[in-house]
Amino acid sequence: MKRSLEDAVRVIESSHKGLNSYYRVALDDLDAALAFLKQEGARIGTITGKDARDHLEVLYHFAVSAELHTIIVELPYDNPSVPTITNHFVAAVLYERELIGLLGINVIGIPDSRPLELPPKYTDPTPPLRRV
């Protein structure tokens, strides 16, 4: 990237390994981080959800030229919510639908909130990727 995310957004923690960079940001700073990446020409690779036992994490993975950048936000385990990022990256909708269906994360403002990946006979009220 031409500029550093750490110069544009308040970063809680960062690490860099070769061409991979990881940035932990507060949920309130997510929109600013995404706007910065969009300006730098980032393309969304995928979104990963993670159950860290005491909280959930959403990892947003982006490619900028040959570099990979991951933005990480923490969500409370009870009633986790994150805003949609489709206003910056339209292709994120499919990954956000996976967050809804597989981890039970509420994606606020998503244009299509139908969950993905769950078979019609799945009746367990616990999302399948949540640790119990």
Side-chain angles (χ1 to χ4, degrees), residues 47-116:
I47 299 173
T48 306
K50 177 182 173 184
D51 185 336
R53 294 200 190 267
D54 63 337
H55 66 275
L56 297 174
E57 294 181 348
V58 179
L59 295 83
Y60 299 91
H61 307 280
F62 298 93
V64 181
S65 299
E67 301 171 353
L68 298 175
H69 298 271
T70 300
I71 305 293
I72 305 164
V73 295
E74 289 185 14
L75 303 175
Y77 202 80
D78 296 330
N79 196 24
S81 295
V82 68
T84 184
I85 68 164
T86 56
N87 54 327
H88 296 287
F89 300 93
V90 176
V93 70
L94 293 175
Y95 307 122
E96 290 178 339
R97 288 175 61 192
E98 287 181 339
L99 292 176
I100 294 167
L102 298 176
L103 279 165
I105 294 174
N106 179 28
V107 181
I108 300 166
I110 186 172
D112 181 359
S113 62
R114 292 174 295 145
L116 289 180

Side-chain angles (χ1 to χ4, degrees), residues 37 110-111 129:
L37 287 171
I110 186 172
L129 294 184

Side-chain angles (χ1 to χ4, degrees), residues 3-32:
R3 301 178 296 151
S4 170
L5 179 71
E6 295 167 291
D7 294 334
V9 177
R10 183 174 51 102
V11 174
I12 298 168
E13 177 184 3
S14 68
S15 66
H16 309 280
K17 299 172 187 169
L19 296 175
N20 299 319
S21 296
Y22 304 88
Y23 307 95
R24 187 173 299 275
V25 302
L27 187 57
D28 291 342
D29 295 320
L30 177 61
D31 190 65

